[in-house]
Amino acid sequence: MNLRQIETFEAVMRCGTASRAAEVLGVTQPAVSRTLGELEQSIGFPLFARIRKRLIATPEARSLYEVVKSAFDGIDVIRGAAARIRDQGSGEVRVASLSAVGHSLMPKAIAIFQKRHPSTRITLLVLPSRDVRDLIASGEFDLGLAADLIDTTNVVHETFLARDALCVLPAGHELSSKAVIAPMDLDGVPFIAYLPEDRFRQRVDAVLTAAGAVPKIAVETALAPTALALVSAGVGATLASPHAISGFDQSKIVVRPFRPGVEARVLLLLPSDRPKSQLVRDFIDALMAAR
């Protein structure tokens, strides 16, 4: 017994005649008859009585057909699932993001993605970059965006964003009259800094130190939205990436270019132990379109 014989038997039972089954299968009627004969020899009992050049199904054939039909129904289910996976992916995308883009760029990307995949469920967690990296390295999440301060061992990574930071001031700040902020403008000025281990903080410190500027550190924080909220409350100035600022209420802040430039970088992370699904590829395309 082989699959071709079973397919022929199923077609004859479904179509009612050998000639119609031959048309469906794209073979000749003699080929159908020959294949049925081979199947009968294989299983050891007759499936059809040949009466007046017609094939009449035996009771044994009808019993066998019930089993075959169930099997073919299962194959149809598999085909349908394969088609859905081809067209829509596995049905879920799990994304983790640092806060600097998790409240600004990421919602735009999700909106773009859902226009193409409206039925796909998305899980989004906004976390510190180290936690984003851990979720991707463990394979629990499909992709992530993180600051470049992380350990990139055991993750696939590439630069997703690299933009010069902007200076953010409280509304009405004395420096808001300047078109461009320089390092010495921040000398002695209350300043919201990131944590010392943050690579962006280290790049900012290097630029300030080279110019001889020493801001008055008012608060150290790990997250850009927190730094911006502190600026909005009048606590001090800060430097932040354009993508972090774009998702923030700018009614109580003033944004100015900062020279020389200090680059803020975001990495795209993927698990290292599995290929990208079509859904993940499409989500990455949405992220690129949202930049």
Side-chain angles (χ1 to χ4, degrees):
M1 183 190 306
N2 57 46
L3 182 58
R4 180 177 59 85
Q5 293 168 351
I6 297 298
E7 287 176 335
T8 302
F9 169 68
E10 188 275 339
V12 171
M13 293 295 293
R14 175 165 45 86
C15 297
T17 67
S19 59
R20 290 178 186 170
E23 292 176 6
V24 170
L25 296 171
V27 299
T28 64
Q29 184 173 337
V32 169
S33 298
R34 183 170 58 254
T35 301
L36 289 177
E38 293 170 354
L39 177 59
E40 289 175 325
Q41 286 185 344
S42 173
I43 61 178
F45 56 83
L47 294 170
F48 298 94
R50 279 76 174 172
I51 301 174
R52 298 176 185 176
K53 297 183 179 181
R54 292 182 59 203
L55 295 177
I56 307 299
T58 64
E60 292 82 1
R62 287 193 290 271
S63 296
L64 181 61
Y65 180 61
E66 291 302 316
V67 178
V68 170
K69 186 175 182 299
S70 296
F72 273 68
D73 288 344
I75 291 173
D76 288 340
V77 171
I78 294 171
R79 286 186 180 129
R84 286 191 298 274
I85 292 171
R86 179 195 63 218
D87 297 336
Q88 302 177 5
S90 62
E92 180 181 10
V93 178
R94 296 162 297 176
V95 185
S97 174
L98 77 164
S99 61
V101 296
H103 301 294
S104 53
L105 183 148
M106 188 62 73
K108 296 177 184 177
I110 290 173
I112 293 169
F113 176 81
Q114 286 197 323
K115 288 181 180 178
R116 182 172 179 182
H117 299 283
S119 62
T120 298
R121 184 171 71 248
I122 298 171
T123 298
L124 170 64
L125 291 185
V126 178
L127 300 165
S129 290
R130 289 184 181 83
D131 295 335
V132 171
R133 181 262 173 204
D134 290 344
L135 286 174
I136 304 305
S138 68
E140 294 179 62
F141 272 54
D142 300 304
L143 72 158
L145 295 178
D148 65 342
L149 60 90
I150 61 164
D151 175 12
T152 54
T153 305
N154 297 325
V155 294
V156 176
H157 64 281
E158 62 181 75
T159 299
F160 175 70
L161 286 172
R163 306 273 173 80
D164 282 345
L166 300 171
C167 185
V168 188
L169 307 163
H173 194 280
E174 60 184 9
L175 292 175
S176 61
S177 61
K178 297 179 68 69
V180 178
I181 306 301
M184 281 307 296
D185 292 328
L186 298 176
D187 187 52
V189 172
F191 192 75
I192 315 302
Y194 298 98
L195 298 180
E197 63 268 25
D198 188 303
R199 290 184 185 174
F200 177 67
R201 159 74 182 270
Q202 293 166 10
R203 288 193 287 270
V204 171
D205 285 352
V207 169
L208 295 173
T209 299
V214 183
K216 179 182 177 182
I217 303 298
V219 180
E220 291 182 329
T221 183
L223 304 176
T226 305
L228 292 170
L230 289 164
V231 174
S232 179
V235 175
T238 196
L239 294 182
S241 63
H243 38 271
I245 298 168
S246 67
F248 190 80
D249 177 9
Q250 300 184 36
S251 63
K252 295 182 179 180
I253 60 175
V254 175
V255 180
R256 293 288 183 266
F258 182 82
R259 297 287 181 272
V262 181
E263 197 172 61
R265 300 172 196 150
V266 175
L267 303 180
L268 172 64
L269 308 181
L270 296 163
S272 62
D273 59 351
R274 67 171 184 261
K276 296 187 289 290
S277 70
Q278 187 58 53
L279 270 186
V280 169
R281 293 177 187 275
D282 289 347
F283 198 93
I284 292 172
D285 288 344
L287 283 171
M288 298 299 183
R291 286 193 298 185

